[in-house]
């Protein structure tokens, strides 16, 4: 018809006149539309079957498990793909024989896991939407398997859940790896603590061993200072004493570092006259200034009538670090001025500005 092929259904029957066949009576019906619809349906079925096979292949290849569960009292497993059963170590026949396709019968011996499952189901139903962040420990034929996936519902027209689909993947290897990493981190932390304790013990012992000969030097210097010495010798002995005490302070600082790592550091406040402090600075820092041809100027403005309580050791360490850095970065031939101004605060304390 008009250059287009049409599908027709024809029928014929004989025409009798006086008992004899006088001709044929024929009829036909155009069924082109019906034929094309059948072809489309056949093609659609073929493509659908192909997609089902491809999806099944992909799910098996990626080990995605799917279970269809009827929302009855037993939560009956209506269908599951091969991965769903294989991940638990069962065949479909074994699962049916052991648990009668009941999800809750499957969990009956594992109350904690059953509570977790009920909680995940309740959350999905309460929120009226799929729950795609579910992690459960499932009892398997041997041991347990960790899985993670989602839960979605299909409903009746009245809104009540009819069936549930559970889609999940086995993450047991991931969980096992995470547990190994946590165990390794714990072991590393333990070893680090042990190494730190060993270092602190070493520092403590060597510091004690170094203090013994240094105390002898201080003692002998003190005895020598009691003699009738000329001014030059007396000045040298004073500098030896000050430097030895500073070195002793450094050794004590090493001990304090070991104590600090153990959370046992203590402050020892005692009276500290500004004259004594400047005497210490002069004895320890002036030789450094002489080496660089620097002029050292000390400017003290103490609060009269009061003596501050300070931890001498730590105060000396702080000021020596500041002043020695100033010596280091001051050009040769320059002047280094140390100002220490004190003032009383409202709460009866002495504030020091350096």
């Amino acid at each position: 018809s008009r250059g287009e092929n049409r599908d027709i259904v024809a029928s014929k029957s004989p025409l009798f006149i006086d008992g004899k066949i006088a001709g044929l009576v024929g009829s036909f019906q155009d069924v082109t539309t019906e034929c094309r619809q059948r072809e489309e349906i056949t093609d659609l079925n073929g493509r659908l079957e192909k997609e089902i096979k491809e999806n099944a292949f992909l799910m098996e290849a990626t080990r995605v498990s799917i279970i269809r569960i009827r929302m009855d009292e037993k939560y009956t497993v209506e269908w599951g793909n091969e991965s769903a059963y294989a991940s638990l170590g069962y065949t479909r026949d074994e699962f049916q024989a052991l648990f009668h396709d009941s999800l809750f019968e499957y969990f009956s011996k594992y109350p904690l896991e059953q509570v977790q499952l009920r909680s995940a189901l309740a959350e999905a139903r309460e929120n009226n939407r799929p729950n795609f962040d579910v992690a459960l420990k499932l009892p398997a034929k041997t041991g347990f398997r960790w899985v993670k996936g989602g839960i979605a519902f299909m409903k009746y027209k009245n809104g009540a859940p009819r069936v549930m689909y559970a889609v999940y993947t086995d993450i047991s290897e991931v969980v096992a790896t995470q547990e190994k990493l946590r165990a390794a981190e714990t072991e590393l932390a333990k070893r680090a603590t042990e190494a730190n304790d060993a270092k602190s013990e070493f520092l403590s012992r060597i510091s004690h061993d170094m203090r013994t000969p240094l105390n002898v030097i201080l003692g002998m210097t003190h005895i020598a200072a009691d003699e009738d010495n000329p001014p030059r010798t007396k000045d040298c002995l004073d500098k030896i004493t000050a430097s030895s005490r500073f070195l002793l302070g450094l050794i004590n600082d090493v001990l304090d570092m070991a104590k600090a790592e153990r959370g046992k550091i203590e402050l020892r406040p005692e009276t500290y006259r500004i004259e004594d402090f400047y005497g210490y600075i002069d004895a320890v820092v002036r030789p450094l200034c002489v080496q660089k041809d620097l002029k050292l100027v000390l400017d003290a403005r103490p609060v009269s009538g009061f003596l501050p309580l300070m931890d001498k050791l730590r105060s000396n360490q702080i000021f020596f670090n500041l002043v020695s850095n100033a010596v280091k970065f001051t050009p040769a031939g320059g002047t280094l001025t140390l100002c220490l101004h004190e003032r009383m605060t409202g709460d009866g304390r002495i504030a020091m500005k350096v």
Side-chain angles (χ1 to χ4, degrees):
S1 172
R2 296 181 182 179
E4 180 183 359
N5 295 326
R6 309 291 294 180
D7 296 307
I8 62 172
V9 175
S11 62
K12 60 183 179 178
S13 58
L15 176 63
F16 292 94
I17 299 176
D18 295 333
K20 296 180 180 181
I21 296 177
L24 295 174
V25 177
S27 63
F28 66 90
Q29 180 182 3
D30 190 337
V31 293
T32 302
T33 300
E34 289 81 353
C35 289
R36 291 180 179 176
Q37 288 176 344
R38 281 198 298 268
E39 290 174 356
E40 290 176 356
I41 292 173
T42 301
D43 180 64
L44 181 61
N45 287 335
R47 283 186 289 152
L48 182 60
E49 184 177 355
K50 181 181 178 181
E51 289 182 3
I52 291 174
K53 289 181 179 179
E54 288 179 351
N55 289 336
F57 172 77
L58 289 174
M59 285 187 295
E60 297 299 336
T62 56
R63 298 183 179 180
V64 175
S65 301
I66 301 179
I67 295 179
R68 175 187 169 102
I69 302 166
R70 188 166 63 247
M71 302 298 291
D72 54 15
E73 293 181 357
K74 297 180 8 179
Y75 279 67
T76 303
V77 178
E78 294 184 339
W79 173 85
N81 66 346
E82 185 176 345
S83 292
Y85 295 104
S87 63
L88 303 178
Y90 297 104
T91 64
R92 178 175 177 80
D93 292 339
E94 287 175 333
F95 191 88
Q96 288 178 329
L98 289 171
F99 309 111
H100 309 97
D101 277 338
S102 171
L103 192 62
F104 281 143
E105 188 171 340
Y106 166 67
F107 277 97
S108 60
K109 296 181 180 179
Y110 306 95
L112 178 60
E113 285 70 27
Q114 187 176 118
V115 169
Q116 293 175 342
L117 174 64
R118 289 181 182 273
S119 176
L121 295 176
E123 181 179 349
R125 295 183 65 171
E126 180 179 349
N127 295 333
N128 196 28
R129 60 182 175 81
N131 185 353
F132 293 111
D133 191 24
V134 179
L136 292 173
K137 186 171 70 171
L138 301 181
K141 193 172 185 178
T142 55
F144 288 85
R145 305 296 296 178
W146 278 96
V147 301
K148 186 172 183 179
I151 297 173
F153 297 100
M154 291 183 63
K155 301 180 179 180
Y156 292 109
K157 291 182 179 180
N158 62 5
R162 180 170 58 89
V163 294
M164 174 185 73
Y165 284 92
V167 182
Y168 58 88
T169 55
D170 192 320
I171 59 170
S172 299
E173 294 182 1
V174 176
V175 172
T177 301
Q178 291 175 342
E179 290 177 350
K180 289 180 181 179
L181 289 175
R182 282 193 291 268
E185 290 175 355
T186 302
E187 180 64 22
L188 287 175
K190 179 182 177 183
R191 292 182 180 181
T193 301
E194 292 174 351
N196 192 57
D197 291 342
K199 180 193 70 174
S200 299
E201 182 66 22
F202 170 76
L203 291 175
S204 177
R205 289 182 180 180
I206 196 172
S207 298
H208 281 295
D209 293 340
M210 291 174 65
R211 281 201 301 181
T212 300
L214 189 57
N215 283 324
V216 173
I217 295 174
L218 283 170
M220 295 298 101
T221 305
H222 180 72
I223 292 174
D226 289 339
E227 300 294 328
D228 187 13
N229 299 306
R232 175 64 177 168
T233 302
K234 184 176 183 302
D235 181 64
C236 290
L237 290 174
D238 289 341
K239 286 181 169 58
I240 291 174
T241 300
S243 297
S244 299
R245 286 176 177 171
F246 175 70
L247 182 57
L248 182 61
L250 292 179
I251 294 173
N252 290 332
D253 189 39
V254 173
L255 284 173
D256 287 341
M257 183 173 64
K259 291 180 180 179
E261 290 175 345
R262 297 176 181 176
K264 297 181 179 179
I265 193 163
E266 297 176 358
L267 295 176
R268 297 182 177 87
E270 54 184 315
T271 57
Y272 198 7
R273 296 190 309 158
I274 193 71
E275 295 82 2
D276 295 337
F277 166 71
Y278 272 117
Y280 161 78
I281 292 295
D282 185 73
V284 175
V285 179
R286 191 171 294 279
L288 300 178
C289 293
V290 171
Q291 291 177 2
K292 287 192 66 176
D293 191 24
L294 298 177
K295 181 181 179 181
L296 178 62
V297 177
L298 304 179
D299 178 16
R301 299 180 187 179
V303 175
S304 60
F306 293 91
L307 284 177
L309 291 176
M310 304 170 63
D311 188 309
K312 288 186 178 181
L313 172 62
R314 290 172 180 80
S315 297
N316 290 345
Q317 290 170 350
I318 292 171
F319 285 106
F320 176 78
N321 289 335
L322 290 173
V323 177
S324 62
N325 282 332
V327 172
K328 179 179 179 181
F329 294 104
T330 301
T335 300
L336 179 62
T337 304
L338 176 61
C339 300
L340 181 60
H341 300 168
E342 296 180 350
R343 65 178 179 83
M344 295 296 298
T345 63
D347 54 0
R349 298 185 180 186
I350 296 178
M352 304 176 68
K353 182 178 180 181
V354 181

